[in-house]
Amino acid sequence: MRQPLFVLLTLTTATLIIGCDRKSEPPPQTQPAGELAPEAFVEALPETITLRALNEAPAEPPHYDLEAFKLCPLRYEFVADTSIVAPEEFSPMGRAVDLKSSQQGSFSARVEGERWALHAGTIDRFEYVDEDRVRHPGLAADALAPILLKAEGQRLVEDDGPTALWSAMGEFPGLTIFFPALPAQAAPGSSTTWSPLLHQRGSSSEVEARRGKATPPPGYTHPKPQGTTHQAEVTLERWLDLGESRAALLRAEWSTGPYKEYMRSRQGATPEPVHVTITNTDDYAATYVVSEAGRVLFARVQSTREQHITSTGAMPEQRFFITLTAQMNLVQGCDDPVLASTAESSDLEIDEATRAVNRFIAAVKRNDLAALHDLLSPTLREEPGSRVILETLRAHLQKHGPDALGHPELPTDLMGFDQGHRVELAGASTHLAEEDENVLVTVYYTEPIEGETRITGLGADTSARDMLWEVLEITEKRFFYEGNP
C-alpha cells in the first residue's frame, strides 16, 4: 500500500451552539485555503469566494437527490493524463517504452424520466512525442451512449450498462471514478464503503451497439463484459464554507489486486487463437468536493497500475507501469459555485456543433428522414428540401463509399464562422482512383436556430480543390451535386 498522496489535517473542535440559524455560528476558521482543499480546486474557484472551514457540520450529509437535479442541468469538463512505461526487456517493441497521452472532454448531466442522464460532449485525445503534442482521433459529441444512473441510497448505480464512458474507457476507466458513494453521516470522520465496478476496454461493445452508437461488422460476436469490483473507503474529512453554500471534502484511498483479465485473439495472423492473461495491481487516491445539495463540484483521482501480460503463444512476457491523473470540474450549474474550465477542454458551442454534425451523418447513413429534417435549418428544409437532401447524400455515399461524409471524431479544422461554426472533416472515397485525390473533404456549417444547433450548409470536394465545391454543395445559395444531370 502506497503512502497517501495528501496530508490529512486535524480538525479544530467546533464550539456547540443552540439553534440552526447559520448567522449564529461562530466565525469560520481562517486556515489558508491551500491547507483546506486541493490546490486545483482552490485555483478554479471564482475570485469572489474566500474558502474557509466550517466550525460546525450541517445536520444532514450530502446525498444524490434526483428531484433536486431536475431543477438544475449541469455541465462538467474533465482531463485524464496517462503515462505508460515499460522496461526494454518486457516491452513489446524491444526497447524501453515511455508513452504520455491525455483525454480532455466534457459532458452534460440532466434528469430524464426517473434517471440521471450523462451525455458526452467532444472528447479530444492527445499524445506527447518528444515533448510535442500530437492530436489523435477522439470522439465527437454524442458518439457514445448516454450514461443512465439511478440513485440508490448514497450512491449512483448505472442502468442499462456498462457504457464506455462510465466504466470501460481503458487506462482512464471512465466517469464512475468521479462520483463516489457518500457517507450517511454528516460529522467529520464519517465514512462509507464504495464498490466501483471498473470494466475492461471493449466490455461496453454490446450496449453501445444496441443503443445505436456502434456498428459491428456482420457476424461479430460481442465480448462478455469483464470487470473488477474495487473496494474503497470514502471519508468525510471536513466541511467547507463557500460563501452562499457549503460543501464536504471527501477523501478515498484503495488498493486492488492482483486481479486478472482474460482475452482471446481471433484467428488470422497466427495459426491458433492466442489466450492472453492480464494481471493488474491498482492503487488509487482520490479527493472530492461535494456540495450540501449532493452535486459533485470537483474530483481529482490519481492511480498507479502494475500490469503483467502473459500468453499461451509465442508472444513475449510484457510488464507495464501505468499512472493516471484525472480531474473533473463542474463548469455550469444553478445554485452551487461553478469552477473554471479544465485546461483546453472543448467549449459548449463546439460540443453542440460537432454533436449536430455527428447526428446529421448518422441520420443520412440510417436513411432517417425525420432526424435529418430536424437537424436542417428552416431554409434548407424548404429549398432544396429535406427529402431531396437525403436522397442526394445517399447517392453520394453509394458512389464514394461509407466514409465519404467524413469522420466526425477527428475534425481537420473547427472554427467560429459568422453566427455558428465551420466543421471540416476528411473522408475516403472508394470511387476516386488517383491516390493523391482519393480524400474527400467535407465542410459543415452549423448555427443555433430556435434554441437548437442546426446544419445550415455543407460542401464536399477532393483535397486538390481550388475554388468552389466541385463534388457537392448544399447551401442556401447553391445546390449542386456532380452526379446530377
Side-chain angles (χ1 to χ4, degrees), residues 431-449:
H431 173 71
L432 299 173
E434 296 183 25
E435 187 173 332
D436 60 342
E437 292 186 4
N438 69 346
V439 175
L440 278 177
V441 176
T442 307
V443 169
Y444 299 81
Y445 301 94
T446 70
E447 185 177 325
I449 299 174

Side-chain angles (χ1 to χ4, degrees), residues 454-475:
R454 305 189 190 279
I455 305 296
T456 59
L458 67 150
D461 212 332
T462 69
S463 56
R465 76 180 179 90
D466 295 322
M467 296 280 291
L468 294 174
W469 302 109
E470 297 175 354
V471 172
L472 169 73
E473 181 176 344
I474 302 174
T475 64

Side-chain angles (χ1 to χ4, degrees), residues 24-30 52-55:
S24 65
E25 295 178 1
Q29 298 177 19
T30 57
R52 296 185 177 93
L54 281 178
N55 287 338

Side-chain angles (χ1 to χ4, degrees), residues 340-364:
S341 298
T342 54
E344 302 176 71
S345 292
S346 302
D347 63 34
L348 182 59
E349 291 183 355
I350 291 177
D351 282 355
E352 294 302 326
T354 57
R355 178 178 281 118
V357 171
N358 186 43
R359 287 176 173 172
F360 182 79
I361 294 173
V364 174

Side-chain angles (χ1 to χ4, degrees), residues 17 27 71 100 108 124 212 225 255 328 386 390 399 402 457 468 470:
I17 59 172
L71 305 176
K100 292 182 174 61
S108 63
D124 298 319
S255 294
M328 180 186 76
S386 302
L390 179 58
K399 179 177 181 179
L468 294 174
E470 297 175 354

Side-chain angles (χ1 to χ4, degrees), residues 242-258:
L242 302 178
E244 297 299 320
S245 61
R246 301 177 283 195
L249 176 70
L250 309 176
R251 296 199 193 274
E253 282 199 357
W254 70 96
S255 294
T256 302

Side-chain angles (χ1 to χ4, degrees), residues 15-263:
T15 303
L16 296 177
I17 59 172
I18 298 175
C20 60
D21 185 356
R22 288 193 63 200
K23 295 181 180 179
S24 65
E25 295 178 1
Q29 298 177 19
T30 57
Q31 288 174 268
E35 296 180 5
L36 297 174
E39 182 179 353
F41 173 71
V42 176
E43 291 180 348
L45 279 171
E47 294 182 357
T48 55
I49 292 179
T50 300
L51 187 65
R52 296 185 177 93
L54 281 178
N55 287 338
E56 182 169 298
E60 299 292 333
H63 64 284
Y64 294 117
D65 183 356
L66 295 192
E67 286 300 317
F69 291 167
K70 286 182 180 180
L71 305 176
C72 188
L74 308 176
R75 182 169 179 271
Y76 289 92
E77 292 184 349
F78 68 90
V79 57
D81 296 326
T82 305
S83 170
I84 303 176
V85 176
E88 180 178 347
E89 61 270 28
F90 293 113
S91 167
M93 302 178 184
R95 55 180 174 81
V97 172
D98 187 0
L99 303 176
K100 292 182 174 61
S101 61
S102 180
Q103 295 184 69
Q104 302 177 15
S106 64
F107 63 95
S108 63
R110 59 182 181 268
V111 174
E112 297 179 357
E114 299 301 318
R115 300 177 294 192
W116 205 34
L118 312 185
H119 292 263
T122 56
I123 301 176
D124 298 319
R125 181 176 177 271
F126 302 93
E127 183 178 344
Y128 294 86
V129 181
D130 297 328
E131 304 303 323
D132 293 327
R133 196 176 71 160
V134 179
R135 190 173 187 270
H136 288 273
L139 292 168
D142 221 28
L144 298 174
I147 300 166
L148 304 177
L149 301 173
K150 298 182 296 184
E152 293 186 358
Q154 292 292 90
R155 63 199 67 212
L156 295 172
V157 178
E158 184 176 26
D159 194 15
D160 193 20
T163 53
L165 189 58
W166 183 244
S167 63
M169 289 289 284
E171 287 78 23
F172 165 53
L175 302 184
T176 186
I177 62 174
F178 293 141
F179 294 91
L182 305 176
Q185 302 296 323
S190 300
S191 64
T192 190
T193 300
W194 176 36
S195 304
L197 175 58
L198 307 184
H199 288 91
Q200 182 178 319
R201 188 197 301 271
S203 294
S204 62
S205 170
E206 186 276 330
V207 174
E208 297 288 333
R210 174 165 49 81
R211 294 170 64 184
K213 297 302 182 180
T215 306
Y220 179 78
T221 301
H222 296 285
K224 293 183 178 179
Q226 289 193 48
T228 300
T229 300
H230 293 231
Q231 294 293 332
E233 194 78 5
V234 182
T235 302
L236 196 163
E237 183 170 321
R238 66 168 60 85
W239 283 91
L240 303 171
D241 188 301
L242 302 178
E244 297 299 320
S245 61
R246 301 177 283 195
L249 176 70
L250 309 176
R251 296 199 193 274
E253 282 199 357
W254 70 96
S255 294
T256 302
Y259 63 93
K260 295 182 179 182
E261 300 172 333
Y262 301 95
M263 299 176 62

